[in-house]
Amino acid sequence: MTKNFSTFDGGTVGVTRFGYTVEFHYRNAAGDTVATVEMSDDDAAGLFEALDAITA
């Protein structure tokens, strides 16, 4: 299952879990792929925790 989030500049971030890894797929406002990042589930959890602290 992929969750998609909008960015402030009109792009999107798709987050997909594959077993013990998480993939972040970044697209610009035109829909072009900018980057794809794969990280472990633990690293992704740490990233989400850090983002929650900033945006809370």
Side-chain angles (χ1 to χ4, degrees):
M1 179 176 163
T2 299
K3 293 185 180 183
N4 292 302
F5 302 92
S6 297
T7 62
F8 73 94
D9 59 356
T12 60
V13 178
V15 181
T16 307
R17 183 174 302 237
F18 295 103
Y20 294 104
T21 62
V22 178
E23 181 181 280
F24 297 86
H25 193 82
Y26 301 90
R27 291 184 177 91
N28 63 18
D32 302 320
T33 298
V34 176
T36 300
V37 177
E38 192 174 297
M39 62 178 63
S40 72
D41 194 42
D42 288 339
D43 289 342
L47 174 63
F48 291 134
E49 188 175 304
L51 290 172
D52 283 343
I54 294 169
T55 59

